[in-house]
């Protein structure tokens, strides 16, 4: 499947299509809007939402952020605005919204989150991280696809993206009815499958799975996206040769001017190099932060600091915990952990507007493809 398929779904995009990753604590309405304005797919707004319980502040904020996105894209205050700069020809808002499906509240999705999606009509919805004992994504995909039937004539359902880290998860996503499978390699920053694989074999195997399983996606087919360790145009070009329909970048966007990542964390990312040594993929990142959200299937990649070095030198989690909280002030402790970034961190060298990142990377990719084509 060529990249033209994803451009048919999202006709404002330009090839190669660049998507900003769904990063909680990083993505602002302004960032998502600027990515879409630059011909990319602005995704996930305030980041992936986990808590969808009744009266959840995260759902309330998503509602507010989608309203703001409409204004930023030129649609004004009216939810029914149909400006061509705001919506697709099918009536969908030119951004996506993301949800984590590992939170215990996910059973409330139909009652709390679905009405927000129905009201604002994002062009895509991104799902990630079903809990090992809760497998809600098949039902959520069904609910989302039902929106195309419930809405007025001409307004289609949002495209459903499912993020995966291994081929078994990709197969499950396809069987659940995903429109797009996001192949997240283990070089990615932030959270990912513990039993994951590099983006090259994951993308290749998933593409074969999609191509051989012609029933997936019906007449429209399924798009396959590459994510993890991609931070410049050359890496985008490499993913295109593996038949990725679009490419997702995360760490590069954490230092965008519109990113809400604190300045001190941006500086840590900008000063780092050699992602093999300066980042660590491990459950330790959640354990030292006291996060119980992710369960046993996932871990995360974050920037290494003194506490991580102590752990890598053989200290126990308890010893690291005591040092973090007894030897450092709360403010200092906050700065030592939770700077999430991928193994391509050394390729991220400057803070830029999000739209400029999209345009620069797209042009770099085009130049890289021309250069290689001239050599073969």
């Amino acid at each position: 499947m060529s990249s033209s398929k994803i451009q048919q779904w999202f006709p404002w995009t330009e090839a190669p299509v660049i998507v900003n990753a769904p990063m909680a604590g990083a993505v602002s309405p302004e960032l998502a809007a600027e990515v879409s304005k630059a011909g990319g797919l602005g995704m996930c707004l305030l980041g992936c939402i986990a808590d969808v319980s009744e009266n959840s502040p995260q759902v309330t904020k998503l509602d507010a952020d989608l309203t703001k996105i409409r204004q930023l894209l030129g649609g004004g205050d009216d939810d029914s605005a149909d400006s061509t700069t705001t919506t697709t020809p099918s009536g969908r808002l030119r951004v996506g919204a993301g949800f984590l499906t590992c939170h215990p509240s996910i059973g409330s999705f139909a009652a709390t989150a679905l009405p927000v999606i129905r009201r604002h009509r994002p062009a895509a919805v991104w799902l990630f991280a079903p809990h090992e004992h809760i497998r809600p994504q098949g039902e959520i995909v069904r609910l989302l696809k039902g929106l195309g039937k419930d809405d007025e004539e001409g307004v289609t359902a949002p495209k459903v993206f499912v993020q995966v880290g291994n081929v078994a998860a990709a197969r499950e996503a396809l069987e659940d009815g995903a429109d797009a499978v996001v192949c997240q390699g283990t070089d990615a920053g932030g959270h990912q499958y513990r039993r994951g694989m590099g983006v090259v074999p994951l993308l290749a195997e998933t593409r074969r799975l999609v191509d051989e399983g012609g029933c997936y996606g019906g007449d429209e087919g399924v798009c396959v996206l590459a994510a993890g360790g991609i931070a410049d145009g050359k890496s985008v070009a490499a993913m295109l040769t593996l038949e990725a329909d679009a490419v997702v970048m995360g760490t590069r966007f954490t230092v965008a001017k519109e990113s809400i990542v604190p300045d001190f964390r941006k500086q840590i990312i900008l000063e780092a190099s050699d992602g093999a040594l300066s980042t660590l993929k491990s459950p330790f990142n959640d354990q030292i932060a006291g996060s119980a959200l992710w369960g046993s299937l996932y871990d995360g990649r974050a920037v290494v600091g003194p506490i991580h070095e102590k752990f890598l030198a053989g200290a126990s989690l308890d010893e690291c915990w005591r040092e973090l909280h007894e030897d450092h002030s709360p403010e200092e402790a906050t700065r030592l952990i939770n700077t999430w970034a991928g193994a391509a961190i050394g390729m991220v060298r400057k803070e830029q507007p999000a739209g400029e990142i999209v345009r620069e990377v797209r042009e770099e990719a085009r130049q890289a493809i021309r250069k290689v084509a001239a050599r073969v």
Side-chain angles (χ1 to χ4, degrees):
M1 182 184 299
S2 70
S3 60
S4 62
K5 172 59 67 177
I6 204 162
Q7 289 179 272
Q8 290 172 24
W9 291 356
F10 311 116
W12 71 89
T13 58
E14 297 180 40
V17 177
I18 308 296
V19 185
N20 69 272
M23 300 175 290
V27 180
S28 65
E30 290 81 4
L31 192 154
E34 290 304 313
V35 169
S36 286
K37 285 180 180 179
L41 175 56
M43 185 59 85
C44 297
L45 311 179
L46 67 103
C48 265
I49 293 174
D51 181 4
V52 295
S53 58
E54 186 177 359
N55 299 320
S56 163
Q58 292 187 12
V59 175
T60 300
K61 190 172 189 308
L62 175 65
D63 195 0
D65 280 356
L66 284 166
T67 298
K68 187 171 185 179
I69 282 281
R70 187 176 297 276
Q71 297 166 1
L72 291 168
L73 290 176
D77 296 325
D78 184 359
D79 279 350
S80 65
D82 60 356
S83 167
T84 56
T85 64
T86 307
T87 61
T88 70
S90 62
R92 289 278 158 195
L93 189 62
R94 295 192 300 139
V95 292
F99 295 86
L100 297 175
T101 58
C102 53
H103 194 276
S105 67
I106 194 62
S108 299
F109 184 91
T112 61
L114 196 66
V116 174
I117 297 169
R118 179 182 288 114
R119 179 161 58 254
H120 291 285
R121 304 174 187 162
V125 174
W126 181 307
L127 306 176
F128 176 49
H131 193 276
E132 58 263 41
H133 301 307
I134 308 172
R135 316 302 293 182
Q137 292 189 170
E139 174 62 13
I140 293 174
V141 172
R142 186 189 67 79
L143 290 169
L144 291 169
K145 288 183 177 291
L147 293 178
K149 301 173 184 176
D150 295 341
D151 283 339
E152 62 265 27
E153 185 177 353
V155 180
T156 62
K159 295 300 179 184
V160 183
F161 287 50
V162 176
Q163 179 179 324
V164 304
N166 53 49
V167 180
R171 183 177 290 107
E172 181 178 354
L174 291 167
E175 291 172 351
D176 284 341
D179 297 301
V181 178
V182 182
C183 296
Q184 183 199 39
T186 51
D187 282 337
H191 288 88
Q192 54 191 268
Y193 280 74
R194 289 194 194 185
R195 298 184 65 182
M197 59 202 295
V199 65
V200 171
L202 176 57
L203 181 61
E205 279 203 65
T206 302
R207 168 56 68 193
R208 184 174 64 188
L209 189 65
V210 168
D211 290 346
E212 292 178 353
C215 58
Y216 296 131
D219 293 338
E220 290 201 346
V222 174
C223 283
V224 181
L225 284 73
I230 302 166
D232 65 358
K234 291 180 180 179
S235 49
V236 169
M239 295 302 102
L240 295 180
T241 66
L242 291 169
E243 298 187 74
D245 295 295
V247 176
V248 181
M249 297 195 308
T251 305
R252 182 74 181 265
F253 283 112
T254 63
V255 298
K257 288 187 179 298
E258 299 86 355
S259 165
I260 57 175
V261 170
D263 287 342
F264 78 89
R265 295 197 192 279
K266 288 184 179 181
Q267 197 60 35
I268 290 172
I269 292 169
L270 289 169
E271 292 176 356
S273 61
D274 192 348
L277 300 181
S278 62
T279 68
L280 173 66
K281 169 180 160 62
S282 171
F284 176 77
N285 291 303
D286 285 320
Q287 293 165 347
I288 195 67
S291 173
L293 173 63
W294 292 90
S296 66
L297 297 182
Y298 311 97
D299 63 9
R301 185 181 292 277
V303 176
V304 169
I307 299 298
H308 299 79
E309 296 286 6
K310 185 178 180 71
F311 175 72
L312 290 168
S316 69
L317 175 63
D318 287 343
E319 289 171 327
C320 293
W321 179 272
R322 283 196 298 272
E323 178 175 321
L324 181 66
H325 294 282
E326 294 177 5
D327 296 351
H328 301 278
S329 68
E331 182 179 354
E332 289 172 338
T334 297
R335 289 171 175 264
L336 291 175
I337 60 174
N338 289 345
T339 299
W340 304 97
I345 191 170
M347 302 296 293
V348 180
R349 310 310 302 163
K350 57 185 176 180
E351 183 180 29
Q352 297 170 270
E356 183 178 302
I357 292 173
V358 172
R359 289 186 288 270
E360 180 179 290
V361 170
R362 186 167 58 223
E363 183 54 33
E364 287 175 354
R366 290 171 176 171
Q367 291 178 8
I369 291 167
R370 294 186 195 105
K371 187 175 181 180
V372 171
R375 291 158 48 188
V376 296

